[in-house]
Amino acid sequence: MLRLFSAFALILALMTVSCGPQSREENMKPSIEEIIKSSLDRSLIQYKSMYGVLPDTLFPRSLDNEGQLVTNRSPWWTSGFYPGSLWYLYEYSGDETVLEMAQAKTEVLEPEQYNNMDHDIGFKMLCSYGNGIRITGDSSATPILIQSAESLISRFMPNAGVIKSWEGFKEYKYPVIIDNMMNLELLFWASKVSGDPKYREVALSHAKTTLNNHYREDNSSYHVLAYDSDTGEVLAKKTAQGFADESAWARGQAWGLYGYVMTYRESKDPVFLEHAKKIAEFLLDHPNLPEDHIPYWDFDAPDIPDALRDASAAAIIASALIELSGHVDGKVKNKFSVSAERIIRSLSSKQYLAAAGENGNFILKHSVGHKPRNSEMDVPLSYADYYFIEALMRLKNLGAD
Ligand code: GLY
């Protein structure tokens, strides 16, 4: 018996020698639950401090080259992200001061319900008012969101089947950008709440037409398509923010992935799920996706591996993959959830997550806004923070199931 015990002890000792360092490393690696908590706690610190330095009617956008805060007024496309982040952080913490901050910043956006000068109203109003209604259950702002949906569908071009994104691009009058997929969520919401199917019909038409026209054989997306609004003909396939017309601009791919996962959730049409899976496979199998899963700003940037990374694209992809993994089974489910966790771990590392009180009170470092214009290069961006917080909350809620 004693001999048997000694042999067992020897095997254990040998295992400790051969597996010891790796096991210790594994043991030292924080759990995803710990990461979610510490990243959300850090986000709370940053965004409460941000509130203290912001003028009442302005929103945080980024930092300039001197590290000074860049703000924007409500018409700018990013204005909903800070209030939206505050709503998520209130949902996380239950902190009443954060509730007051979220309410105050959301109210500044009220005039935007009538802004039909571009497609960005979905970003602005659903992230802010939409989260507020969802979290508090107070639906008094519903008419504001219905009016916002009206403003968005006023841009629909029936013969082309898509919503016009901008008032013009180069020589073209009817540009549609892949980012526009994100604004469809406002339309699905409006039909559900109002009972009027017209918003949803526009959303489905836009999603189908974009799937047919914006995507390449390899399941990457163009950034900007120019349409003839009378015939629906695609006149040109271009980029505004990517490296080249034929390249895969990282945030554009991220918007497309998120947009089709959301469109599947709202429509239950398997065509959109299949498409979302193909986009995810394009991204995750791409030879230029770095080991830490934080993409370069463009998958075809000429200076890879020295090209800038884009944390905003990573955060959007992570949030989308977490949802997508809930719609699929088997190997791909595992692939998508493992990749999402890898992104969250990378973004929660010192390399990307700001130390408390640093980074101008933004949460994430190292995003790229508009590289071809040399604008917002390697900076924090409010939408990187928003989708990071959303991804953390989605992961947290998965754990709670
Ligand atoms: N919608 C603009 C951007 O992604 O930069």
Side-chain angles (χ1 to χ4, degrees):
M1 183 67 190
L2 192 63
R3 253 207 312 259
L4 192 65
F5 180 77
S6 306
F8 183 62
L10 182 65
I11 290 168
L12 260 185
L14 284 172
M15 278 175 67
T16 312
V17 170
S18 61
C19 313
Q22 193 189 352
S23 303
R24 268 201 301 279
E25 206 172 273
E26 281 295 311
N27 288 340
M28 279 165 60
K29 196 167 139 182
S31 70
I32 193 66
E33 290 76 18
E34 287 167 323
I35 286 180
I36 293 167
K37 184 178 181 320
S38 63
S39 292
L40 284 169
D41 287 345
R42 182 73 52 79
S43 302
L44 201 51
I45 292 170
Q46 295 297 90
Y47 266 26
K48 282 175 84 168
S49 303
M50 178 74 87
Y51 194 88
V53 300
L54 270 180
D56 283 350
T57 56
L58 298 182
F59 299 90
R61 175 174 163 177
S62 185
L63 296 179
D64 67 16
N65 291 339
E66 277 75 51
Q68 297 301 306
L69 180 65
V70 179
T71 56
N72 59 268
R73 296 189 180 279
S74 67
W76 184 244
W77 77 277
T78 58
S79 55
F81 295 119
Y82 180 61
S85 297
L86 290 172
W87 280 117
Y88 273 128
L89 292 170
Y90 167 63
E91 185 178 27
Y92 168 64
S93 65
D95 183 335
E96 294 288 322
T97 60
V98 180
L99 170 64
E100 283 163 24
M101 292 172 183
Q103 283 168 330
K105 282 295 171 193
T106 296
E107 279 164 18
V108 181
L109 290 164
E110 191 174 340
E112 295 309 312
Q113 65 185 300
Y114 302 106
N115 185 343
N116 61 2
M117 296 307 291
D118 58 43
H119 67 146
D120 290 319
I121 193 161
F123 281 122
K124 284 182 267 196
M125 304 307 263
L126 202 63
C127 297
S128 55
Y129 281 103
N131 273 317
I133 292 172
R134 180 183 64 78
I135 291 164
T136 63
D138 175 357
S139 57
S140 54
T142 294
I144 295 174
L145 281 186
I146 299 293
Q147 174 54 48
S148 302
E150 282 294 329
S151 297
L152 184 54
I153 62 168
S154 74
R155 302 183 64 78
F156 186 57
M157 305 184 287
N159 293 350
V162 278
I163 298 165
K164 181 171 61 155
S165 295
W166 299 326
E167 288 303 282
F169 175 69
K170 300 190 172 174
E171 68 268 40
Y172 303 103
K173 278 169 73 180
Y174 304 103
V176 176
I177 64 173
I178 189 63
D179 323 27
N180 206 339
M181 284 299 303
M182 299 296 286
N183 294 300
L184 305 184
E185 192 167 1
L186 171 65
L187 302 182
F188 288 118
W189 186 95
S191 275
K192 273 190 291 193
V193 171
S194 69
D196 188 334
K198 68 180 177 181
Y199 310 106
R200 173 188 171 85
E201 283 161 12
V202 168
L204 289 173
S205 170
H206 185 98
K208 281 179 193 149
T209 311
T210 298
L211 195 161
N212 290 336
N213 293 338
H214 248 90
Y215 279 85
R216 307 183 180 106
E217 278 292 300
D218 66 358
N219 300 308
S220 68
S221 163
Y222 288 93
H223 184 202
V224 189
L225 258 60
Y227 280 90
D228 180 317
S229 68
D230 292 327
T231 65
E233 188 191 344
V234 176
L235 303 174
K237 298 185 174 192
K238 299 278 178 193
T239 197
Q241 282 161 268
F243 163 64
D245 292 342
E246 290 299 327
S247 73
W249 173 49
R251 196 163 55 255
Q253 312 313 307
W255 293 139
L257 174 65
Y258 191 116
Y260 280 101
V261 175
M262 176 277 296
T263 302
Y264 172 68
R265 180 217 308 147
E266 297 297 336
S267 68
K268 291 291 173 286
D269 184 337
V271 167
F272 298 125
L273 179 60
E274 282 314 302
H275 189 56
K277 280 159 66 180
K278 286 180 189 165
I279 302 170
E281 302 276 5
F282 168 81
L283 294 170
L284 300 179
D285 297 344
H286 200 290
N288 287 343
L289 182 68
E291 187 61 27
D292 63 4
H293 277 29
I294 311 299
Y296 298 104
W297 72 278
D298 190 304
F299 280 86
D300 302 298
D303 50 344
I304 289 172
D306 298 323
L308 292 175
R309 305 292 193 93
D310 182 12
S312 75
I316 299 159
I317 292 168
S319 188
L321 286 176
I322 294 162
E323 179 172 359
L324 181 57
S325 68
H327 296 311
V328 295
D329 289 311
K331 272 190 184 163
V332 283
K333 183 184 185 72
N334 189 52
K335 176 175 177 173
F336 297 157
S337 51
V338 165
S339 296
E341 185 176 323
R342 187 179 299 188
I343 295 173
I344 292 300
R345 283 184 179 274
S346 301
L347 292 178
S348 298
S349 71
K350 278 186 191 153
Q351 173 67 13
Y352 288 96
L353 184 66
E358 293 186 1
N359 200 36
N361 299 311
F362 286 95
I363 298 160
L364 292 179
K365 304 178 269 186
H366 305 309
S367 289
V368 175
H370 199 310
K371 174 85 167 61
R373 280 195 196 146
N374 270 333
S375 164
E376 300 181 332
M377 306 268 283
D378 198 18
V379 288
L381 290 169
S382 59
Y383 41 101
D385 292 355
Y386 176 86
Y387 290 100
F388 178 56
I389 294 171
E390 181 182 84
L392 291 165
M393 290 298 286
R394 285 180 169 187
L395 270 184
K396 182 175 180 300
N397 292 337
L398 277 183
D401 282 348

